[in-house]
Amino acid sequence: MTDPNDPNPGKPTPNPYGDKPSPNPSGGKPTTDLPGPSDREGAVELLNPQTFLRNFPDLFTQIYGEFGKTVKLLGGTPIIIHEYILVDDEPKLRFMNQKGRYQLKVITSELIDPVVTVKRYTFCGGKALVLLTSESPLDSLYALPLKKRIQAVSLDGHESGIIKPGGTAPAGKGQDGNTNTSGKGQDGDSSTSGEDTSISGRNTNTSGSGQDGNTNTSGKGQGYSNCMGYSRPGQTLSGTPHMNQEDLVKKDSCLKVAVLDSGISFKNGKLFDPGNDRVPCRDVSAGWDFVEDDNRPDDTQTNRHGTRVANVIRLVCPEATIIPVRISNEQNRCTLYDVLCGLEYAAQQGARIINASWVFPTDKGIYIPLLQASLRRLAYRGILVVCASGNVGNLKPDELDRVPHIGERIKKWRVPMQWPACSSVDLENIISVTAIGFVPDGSATRRVVCELRSNRYISVGVVANGRDQIGEFGSFITPDLNDFRGTSFAAPYVTGHIAKAMHCGADLSSRAAVLKAIGAVRDKDLKKQISGGMWIDAR
């Protein structure tokens, strides 16, 4: 029987990476043995993880590797059901630093006193983060009330303690930043009346007590399932990195830019100096690898995604000190736990700007509470986060208008929310970025957004400055390596210009001030695709 929701009935399974080689789940060189080519409609449709999992479960499992068989969707986000994250003030979680096994004294609809193992404990100097794993699915812990305190009893003779893993406020009042009893827009996205609230009014209750679940007055602990995000792989690699480790630190050592990505690779294949492996991340300022949990954030991703991002920032603002923070693996996958650790680390190391060229998808009206809480803490500290907004694949110019805005649907195509880029609607410190190309317009040309678009969530577009070998809109120059397309490489141009403006002492007190400082201008043709129609050249 034909699935009525199948975007390609009777057609080969499309490749979610468009016409580009797909990543090899076992690492190494890219492979083209995943099903597909390139039905363009299928590539766009697979932006939606629900369609991906429903129609192509084998491909979904292959893309998500070891977690593919234990992933389910929560609010449109792929979550790892046997892993759960705790975030709290360090003294409250310190007892778990010895790791080991604990029995949680709790009963939910799916759990009775589960036994968990502390897989990771991370303290970078801000919040403490714990990653629990269990043979039992742990995702139902999120249904516990925020204030719910449960015992974690050590099974190894270590110290026991109290944790607060829940994410749901009493009476459903939206402490998770998603829902309230009336449904009036606590998610920062929609309300029953369709009203559009102000930035300062979003995600706050009547007393202003911190709907992010970590800064509320009722209690600071919160948990959430570990989940999966990704960065776009891109096309085939060519070129050789020319950067050395000493090139990361510049004269303006106070102007620190953290690159949360796949790491950095150096000239002649040189790796990071291993230093002292026993030193914790909070005592290492040169960068950290949260995938392997060591002090060598080497870029082993097939196309050197993180290296390209860092090279663009270095090109635009050579005065900046770059802090490489590895949060994504060889297959372009990142987990929420590693991202949260990376954000905490960047803040504690004094980063003033963070580049985030990766996304976590969710359904409309849903976001990831722990990620939003972390971004809000960065906002309190005045740290800017520049985010890629996601890509559409290799479409023709006349197909672009058929692609929905972020979070919207047009017929069978539905584009999920893209986090952290969509946090720009709530937080002034988030600058979300898309890519711009040109299309014919009579005897002239006009600018058009050639990746994901939204006149609500996207702050600025960047006009491509390189040659696109597989598409029609141009790509971005990534120094020392071949040109790449996608918002992953538009974002670091914005990051670099913000760093340059910061170095020159420009006013960066608001998003509008930031856009002015980097020379963004309006284009009436872009106003329906980007908030305010703002754009800059990649230069």
Side-chain angles (χ1 to χ4, degrees):
M1 181 176 180
T2 301
D3 185 343
N5 295 311
D6 188 345
N8 306 288
K11 297 182 181 180
T13 303
N15 184 344
Y17 301 104
D19 293 329
K20 303 178 178 65
S22 304
N24 182 351
S26 61
K29 296 181 179 180
T31 176
T32 55
D33 62 359
L34 290 180
S38 65
D39 181 275
R40 291 187 177 89
E41 293 188 3
V44 173
E45 185 69 8
L46 290 184
L47 287 169
N48 176 6
Q50 291 183 347
T51 302
F52 196 174
L53 179 58
R54 181 181 66 241
N55 293 345
F56 313 111
D58 293 339
L59 180 58
F60 185 94
T61 298
Q62 193 170 355
I63 293 296
Y64 285 100
E66 63 180 299
F67 298 114
K69 295 181 180 179
T70 58
V71 164
K72 78 174 190 179
L73 297 179
L74 175 64
T77 305
I79 66 167
I80 305 167
I81 60 175
H82 296 286
E83 294 189 353
Y84 201 80
I85 302 170
L86 302 176
V87 179
D88 209 336
D89 293 333
E90 191 271 336
K92 296 179 180 179
L93 292 177
R94 188 182 300 160
F95 73 96
M96 286 188 161
N97 191 22
Q98 300 179 79
K99 301 187 177 179
R101 298 181 307 136
Y102 295 84
Q103 185 170 48
L104 306 184
K105 297 297 184 179
V106 62
I107 298 176
T108 72
S109 59
E110 301 177 18
L111 287 174
I112 299 177
D113 297 343
V115 174
V116 301
T117 300
V118 177
K119 184 176 181 180
R120 297 267 298 277
Y121 179 95
T122 304
F123 176 57
C124 301
K127 295 286 183 181
L129 299 100
V130 173
L131 181 61
L132 302 178
T133 185
S134 175
E135 294 183 0
S136 303
L138 298 175
D139 51 297
S140 62
L141 290 174
Y142 183 70
L144 295 171
L146 266 176
K147 294 182 180 181
K148 179 71 173 179
R149 298 159 58 90
I150 65 174
Q151 282 186 302
V153 179
S154 175
L155 301 179
D156 302 312
H158 299 315
E159 182 183 356
S160 300
I162 301 294
I163 62 173
K164 289 184 278 187
T168 304
K173 291 185 180 179
Q175 293 285 357
D176 60 357
N178 275 303
T179 55
N180 59 17
T181 51
S182 62
K184 292 188 178 179
Q186 292 286 354
D187 58 4
D189 180 66
S190 60
S191 66
T192 53
S193 63
E195 60 198 9
D196 187 13
T197 56
S198 65
I199 288 177
S200 61
R202 295 188 193 278
N203 290 312
T204 56
N205 54 23
T206 51
S207 61
S209 298
Q211 294 285 357
D212 62 18
N214 273 301
T215 56
N216 56 31
T217 54
S218 62
K220 297 179 181 178
Q222 190 179 10
Y224 197 74
S225 293
N226 201 13
C227 53
M228 308 287 291
Y230 61 89
S231 58
R232 188 183 180 90
Q235 59 264 25
T236 305
L237 172 70
S238 65
T240 303
H242 285 81
M243 186 161 42
N244 293 308
Q245 185 169 351
E246 53 268 24
D247 294 331
L248 298 178
V249 180
K250 296 298 181 179
K251 293 180 180 180
D252 191 350
S253 58
C254 294
L255 177 52
K256 296 180 180 180
V257 178
V259 177
L260 269 64
D261 215 291
S262 61
I264 291 182
S265 58
F266 296 119
K267 184 177 180 179
N268 299 324
K270 184 179 179 181
L271 302 178
F272 274 85
D273 181 358
N276 184 353
D277 274 338
R278 298 182 180 180
V279 177
C281 62
R282 60 183 176 273
D283 295 332
V284 176
S285 61
W288 195 264
D289 181 346
F290 286 101
V291 178
E292 302 294 339
D293 199 22
D294 61 34
N295 60 357
R296 301 181 299 279
D298 297 304
D299 188 357
T300 57
Q301 192 271 330
T302 304
N303 298 296
R304 304 296 186 264
H305 193 278
T307 302
R308 295 173 182 277
V309 169
N311 281 352
V312 169
I313 296 169
R314 183 191 63 165
L315 171 70
V316 179
C317 184
E319 298 86 0
T321 288
I322 295 176
I323 305 175
V325 185
R326 185 172 182 240
I327 52 87
S328 63
N329 65 11
E330 293 89 343
Q331 290 82 41
N332 307 284
R333 296 191 303 267
C334 55
T335 67
L336 178 61
Y337 184 82
D338 291 339
V339 164
L340 295 176
C341 290
L343 293 173
E344 288 289 328
Y345 173 80
Q348 295 304 314
Q349 294 303 323
R352 301 180 68 184
I353 311 169
I354 296 172
N355 192 95
S357 289
W358 38 265
V359 298
F360 286 85
T362 72
D363 290 339
K364 183 177 181 179
I366 302 295
Y367 59 55
I368 300 170
L370 292 185
L371 179 58
Q372 188 74 354
S374 182
L375 297 173
R376 195 176 297 278
R377 290 195 295 273
L378 297 177
Y380 293 154
R381 301 180 66 156
I383 299 172
L384 296 172
V385 185
V386 181
C387 308
S389 61
N391 306 314
V392 298
N394 185 26
L395 297 182
K396 299 291 185 181
D398 60 356
E399 295 173 315
L400 291 175
D401 287 341
R402 298 168 56 191
V403 180
H405 283 216
I406 293 172
E408 302 297 333
R409 181 174 192 144
I410 298 178
K411 296 182 179 180
K412 63 185 177 183
W413 285 7
R414 183 170 69 85
V415 175
M417 306 292 283
Q418 308 282 305
W419 303 100
C422 288
S423 295
S424 63
V425 78
D426 301 315
L427 300 172
E428 281 276 299
N429 66 318
I430 306 298
I431 312 294
S432 55
V433 183
T434 192
I436 295 174
F438 289 91
V439 296
D441 187 8
S443 60
T445 59
R446 61 181 173 86
R447 298 179 189 89
V448 64
V449 171
C450 56
E451 301 293 357
L452 286 185
R453 57 184 176 164
S454 172
N455 59 3
R456 181 171 189 179
Y457 299 111
I458 294 179
S459 312
V460 66
V462 183
V463 176
N465 62 348
R467 186 173 68 88
D468 193 340
Q469 299 175 350
I470 63 171
E472 302 186 29
F473 300 105
S475 60
F476 293 96
I477 294 172
T478 58
D480 304 334
L481 303 173
N482 56 313
D483 299 350
F484 256 47
R485 65 173 296 178
T487 61
S488 284
F489 310 109
Y493 275 96
V494 173
T495 298
H497 283 296
I498 294 174
K500 194 78 171 180
M502 191 174 287
H503 177 70
C504 296
D507 174 18
L508 303 175
S509 58
S510 67
R511 187 185 300 131
V514 169
L515 296 179
K516 180 179 179 181
I518 65 174
V521 295
R522 297 185 189 277
D523 183 332
K524 62 180 179 60
D525 291 330
L526 296 174
K527 290 185 70 174
K528 293 183 178 180
Q529 305 172 67
I530 298 172
S531 178
M534 305 299 286
W535 67 277
I536 64 169
D537 280 316
R539 61 191 191 280

